Amino acid sequence: MGFGGATAAMLTSLKNNSRRSKREAFDGWTSSDKKSKGIKVEAVSEEVLIEIRHKMKQQQKKARIRNLFIAIISLCISVFLIGVVFSYFQNDPGVSFVPYK
């Protein structure tokens, strides 16, 4: 086929650059552990879960208020700019267009 040199060099480079054997993140993972998929699961108390839910609700509330504020400000600025553009390009009633004769 004529792939010889370039393809072989590419494959060799890919094999040499493989970092799977050098990473510690894959230690202890087995394919037989179907439940956790290699993620270590720790038990958490109900109080901690309630605290996490409370913090997340507060964050969502702050984000919602911030987004609403940004939307209102953007809408006001847009309406103002549209008004300025329309008033700028509006025809002055004292000036009339007279074509050349």
Side-chain angles (χ1 to χ4, degrees), residues 51-83:
E51 184 179 333
I52 291 171
R53 286 186 194 115
H54 182 67
K55 284 183 182 179
M56 289 186 68
K57 285 181 183 179
Q58 284 180 340
Q59 289 174 352
Q60 290 172 352
K61 186 176 179 180
K62 286 181 183 178
R64 198 176 308 124
I65 291 171
R66 184 181 63 237
N67 291 341
L68 182 63
F69 180 73
I70 290 171
I72 290 172
I73 296 296
S74 299
L75 182 65
C76 291
I77 291 173
S78 298
V79 168
F80 175 74
L81 289 177
I82 289 171

Side-chain angles (χ1 to χ4, degrees), residues 27-99:
D27 290 346
W29 287 19
T30 61
S31 59
S32 63
D33 189 11
K34 301 293 182 192
K35 185 176 179 184
S36 67
K37 304 276 187 206
I39 299 171
K40 295 177 182 173
V41 180
E42 297 178 9
V44 180
S45 67
E46 191 65 31
E47 294 83 20
V48 174
L49 290 175
I50 291 172
E51 184 179 333
I52 291 171
R53 286 186 194 115
H54 182 67
K55 284 183 182 179
M56 289 186 68
K57 285 181 183 179
Q58 284 180 340
Q59 289 174 352
Q60 290 172 352
K61 186 176 179 180
K62 286 181 183 178
R64 198 176 308 124
I65 291 171
R66 184 181 63 237
N67 291 341
L68 182 63
F69 180 73
I70 290 171
I72 290 172
I73 296 296
S74 299
L75 182 65
C76 291
I77 291 173
S78 298
V79 168
F80 175 74
L81 289 177
I82 289 171
V84 168
V85 168
F86 275 124
S87 68
Y88 180 76
F89 289 110
Q90 185 179 9
N91 225 359
D92 189 20
V95 178
S96 60
F97 177 71
V98 179

Side-chain angles (χ1 to χ4, degrees), residues 4-18:
T7 306
M10 179 191 66
L11 292 175
T12 304
S13 175
L14 288 173
K15 286 178 186 176
N16 289 339
N17 289 335
S18 177

Side-chain angles (χ1 to χ4, degrees), residues 1-9:
M1 274 260 148
F3 289 116
T7 306

